[in-house]
Amino acid sequence: IAGITQAPTSQILAAGRRMTLRCTQDMRHNAMYWYRQDLGLGLRLIHYSNTAGTTGKGEVPDGYSVSRANTDDFPLTLASAVPSQTSVYFCASSDSAGTGELFFGEGSRLTVL
Amino acid sequence: GQNIDQPTEMTATEGAIVQINCTYQTSGFNGLFWYQQHAGEAPTFLSYNVLDGLEEKGRFSSFLSRSKGYSYLLLKELQMKDSASYLCAVTDSNYQLIWGAGTKLIIKP
């Protein structure tokens, strides 16, 4: 079934630990995104990639890094997790940056203690 | 700054009609999206408006007025499964999506 797969779906992490959230899509979409969603706030863009080999910073990039070595994969890394990074993280992709429908993964619920 | 405003919460009755408003102030405009998000799930696409007017898709319709910086999502013949959050998002001049905080719609029998 075509779509976006995120892993893990849920994780509890000690502060200071390194964590990578994985995201893979099989729709051959050019653009990919990482969002965080917190209660009462809208989706906030962390990082994005308009095409393989390029990445850009979103609204809340501090403490996060991404890479886009190929079209399908877009991992998000927390180098040293802090409690304020407790959130639900969504990976998304679209065939056209900004104007194409976004397809979302199921989300990764991360708790940093 | 860039801003998207939607009501935080709305309540409606099964079988009725509800209109969810969205106003925006962004640097440029390249389209407006509506997404539906059920609790604990990912958002899913509902509609995309780039020109003024009404787009109808089954029980759901979306309206856009670019001159007023205004959109609404109209849901007809409400069903219990329509209980969800509805997210408004605008593409700005840099083709970045700006998201509203979402409107939680509660449907009562």
Side-chain angles (χ1 to χ4, degrees), chain B residues 23-107:
Chain B
T23 58
Y24 62 88
Q25 293 176 307
T26 56
S27 57
F29 178 86
N30 282 299
L32 184 144
F33 292 85
W34 285 96
Y35 284 80
Q36 180 189 59
Q37 185 177 23
H38 286 101
E41 298 183 8
T44 55
F45 171 81
L46 285 178
S47 67
Y48 174 62
N49 294 68
V50 65
L51 299 176
D52 291 350
L54 187 69
E55 296 275 346
E56 296 185 78
K57 191 184 295 185
R59 293 189 299 113
F60 292 9
S61 303
S62 56
F63 172 83
L64 174 67
S65 169
R66 289 172 295 171
S67 63
K68 295 182 180 179
Y70 169 70
S71 172
Y72 67 73
L73 182 69
L74 191 71
L75 291 72
K76 302 177 184 176
E77 302 170 16
L78 285 170
Q79 301 175 10
M80 297 303 293
K81 68 178 182 179
D82 297 330
S83 292
S85 289
Y86 292 86
L87 313 180
C88 175
V90 171
T91 303
D92 69 9
S93 57
N94 294 318
Y95 290 91
Q96 294 296 323
L97 266 178
I98 312 300
W99 293 85
T103 298
K104 182 178 181 180
L105 178 63
I106 300 168
I107 309 297

Side-chain angles (χ1 to χ4, degrees), chain A residues 26-76:
Chain A
D26 61 3
M27 296 175 283
R28 308 303 293 172
H29 284 169
N30 285 319
M32 296 188 75
Y33 311 84
W34 273 106
Y35 288 95
R36 61 177 290 172
Q37 188 174 41
D38 303 290
L39 201 61
L41 300 175
L43 288 164
R44 292 186 290 169
L45 183 65
I46 304 171
H47 285 286
Y48 66 94
S49 169
N50 287 335
T51 189
T54 69
T55 62
K57 294 182 179 181
E59 180 185 356
V60 288
D62 294 343
Y64 305 95
S65 63
V66 292
S67 62
R68 186 88 184 278
N70 56 60
T71 297
D72 299 342
D73 301 302
F74 192 45
L76 176 74

